[in-house]
Amino acid sequence: MFIASFRVYPVRGTLAICALVVSALFMLRVVQRTFYGQKNERFAHLKDVSFGLGIPRMILVGVIVLFGLFPALMVDLVQTASIPLIQGLPR
């Protein structure tokens, strides 16, 4: 996608690639500081999430795993909504 956008729109393609690189650097920095950085003693007194508050996370993980193992479920749903929309667009 980036190669095609770079060929058609060189300036926009370059900006998109630069934005992707900057975003990746920020995300790597966040992951490094969150999981591999020094423990902040200001937050040492906080407890882990209780089971009741963890249930929505478990549901979310279950749905992500479900659609990861069976992507046709989501593809069928998206096609049902998007094909009539695309066919109704002016040409």
Side-chain angles (χ1 to χ4, degrees):
M1 184 174 78
F2 286 114
I3 293 171
S5 67
F6 183 74
R7 288 182 182 167
V8 177
Y9 303 107
V11 175
R12 292 180 187 172
T14 303
L15 288 175
I17 292 170
C18 290
L20 178 73
V21 170
V22 169
S23 298
L25 290 174
F26 276 116
M27 287 303 296
L28 286 172
R29 182 177 174 210
V30 167
V31 168
Q32 181 183 14
R33 287 188 176 191
T34 302
F35 295 109
Y36 304 112
Q38 295 291 327
K39 186 175 180 181
N40 193 338
E41 295 302 324
R42 290 188 305 168
F43 305 115
H45 67 283
L46 297 175
K47 297 179 181 177
D48 285 337
V49 176
S50 66
F51 182 75
L53 291 175
I55 290 175
R57 290 183 185 178
M58 290 181 227
I59 293 171
L60 180 62
V61 167
V63 169
I64 290 171
V65 169
L66 175 73
F67 288 134
L69 294 175
F70 304 105
L73 296 172
M74 182 59 78
V75 171
D76 293 341
L77 182 66
V78 170
Q79 283 181 345
T80 302
S82 62
I83 289 176
L85 175 70
I86 292 170
Q87 290 174 345
L89 292 174
R91 292 177 190 221

